Amino acid sequence: MLQTRIGYELAQDDTEARRLALIVLRTDRTIEGEVRSSLPTSQPVSLYHSRIFNDFEISAATLEAMSDLLQPTAALIPAEFKPHVVGYGCTSATMLLGEERVASIIRQAHPGVQVTEPVTACIAACRSLGMKKIKLVTPYESTVNRKIVDGLRARGLDVDSVVSFEEPDDLKVGAISTNSVVEAAVHAGGGLKPDVDGVFISCTTLPSFSAIPIIERLTGKPATSSNHALAWHMQKLAGIKKFQSSLGRLYAD
């Protein structure tokens, strides 16, 4: 075999390129596609993924179990990639563990990096949209819903009502249709009251991106979700300034 060694040159770093890293639940088949679809085309963006082990059944015990796995999972995204921001893709686990604990664990693998998750992103998105009194849509059972409601209230949001699919199996949650999400946000539970500011759809596995513009059109009020808010907040923290305005009011604003 004749083999010739040939030289090469390294491409220059693009100072405009933004690097996003995302920790995805093992059971999540939604968030990667939704976050990637939200990325702008106006500047180069890299998106790196790492998957954390979790159980298909969503419960307080299975969510807490992720705490010991978070640091080694974050470390699977090499620090040499120099991400501008690391996102953790689990709303209910973040509410259970706490935002500061999540950020502290991730920074063991990525010192000094900006960290966000759906809880911090939700609060930032609701503030940006002027949403204080919200309707909450979830797939969770009542114990997890109570933690989400109490957590959002403790962070300054007024949860007016909750509509839930009460489906503990993440595999089924990832297959819930857009029509069902819209129905839950707009019609179930008596509709959207005049004094409610908007809708938050919790859970990164629950498909929501295509539902949000429909909800906003039908209600005349803003809507966001775990993935929708997280993707926006990651881009914002990474210094991206121009968003895909077709994704709803949050991105247009």
Side-chain angles (χ1 to χ4, degrees):
M1 181 184 74
L2 177 63
Q3 177 174 312
T4 302
R5 185 178 187 276
I6 189 169
Y8 61 87
E9 61 180 19
L10 298 176
Q12 296 295 314
D13 286 341
D14 188 339
T15 57
E16 292 297 312
R18 302 289 91 184
R19 297 178 296 277
L20 315 181
L22 180 63
I23 297 171
V24 180
L25 302 187
R26 177 185 74 109
T27 61
D28 194 322
R29 52 178 173 171
T30 303
I31 190 171
E32 288 160 310
E34 290 197 331
V35 170
R36 189 169 294 281
S37 72
S38 76
L39 299 179
T41 57
S42 56
Q43 68 181 107
V45 181
S46 296
L47 178 61
Y48 309 116
H49 301 132
S50 179
R51 284 196 172 245
I52 186 168
F53 183 89
N54 73 307
D55 199 282
F56 275 107
E57 182 180 351
I58 306 165
S59 69
T62 60
L63 294 170
E64 173 66 37
M66 278 190 277
S67 61
D68 291 338
L69 303 175
L70 193 49
Q71 187 275 335
T73 304
L76 291 175
I77 300 168
E80 290 81 1
F81 286 5
K82 299 180 180 178
H84 292 96
V85 60
V86 177
Y88 172 48
C90 189
T91 318
S92 47
T94 299
M95 198 65 81
L96 187 71
L97 301 175
E99 302 94 301
E100 291 184 4
R101 183 178 173 192
V102 167
S104 176
I105 293 172
I106 289 174
R107 288 190 180 114
Q108 292 173 19
H110 296 276
V113 76
Q114 297 194 86
V115 176
T116 187
E117 17 61 29
V119 177
T120 297
C122 165
I123 302 304
C126 287
R127 187 178 297 120
S128 178
L129 291 166
M131 289 167 49
K132 182 172 177 61
K133 188 172 186 178
I134 64 169
K135 180 173 182 175
L136 178 65
V137 175
T138 89
Y140 314 128
E141 48 87 20
S142 60
T143 303
V144 178
N145 279 333
R146 174 49 56 190
K147 292 184 181 297
I148 297 291
V149 170
D150 289 347
L152 292 177
R153 286 175 174 166
R155 290 159 179 78
L157 292 179
D158 179 1
V159 181
D160 173 79
S161 59
V162 182
V163 176
S164 178
F165 299 114
E166 297 185 3
E167 177 50 68
D169 187 341
D170 233 15
L171 194 61
K172 292 181 181 177
V173 170
I176 292 175
S177 71
T178 296
N179 285 343
S180 294
V181 175
V182 171
E183 178 74 16
V186 178
H187 302 296
L192 205 58
K193 300 175 184 177
D195 62 338
V196 170
D197 299 320
V199 177
F200 176 63
I201 303 163
S202 183
C203 184
T204 59
T205 304
L206 185 62
S208 61
F209 263 58
S210 57
I212 285 168
I214 302 172
I215 295 166
E216 292 187 334
R217 176 171 54 82
L218 293 175
T219 65
K221 295 183 179 183
T224 189
S225 71
S226 294
N227 289 349
H228 191 255
L230 180 60
W232 167 82
H233 200 226
M234 288 178 68
Q235 292 173 51
K236 191 175 178 68
L237 290 176
I240 294 170
K241 301 189 184 305
K242 189 171 182 179
F243 304 106
Q244 286 198 50
S245 59
S246 62
L247 297 175
R249 295 190 192 183
L250 180 62
Y251 287 73
D253 291 344

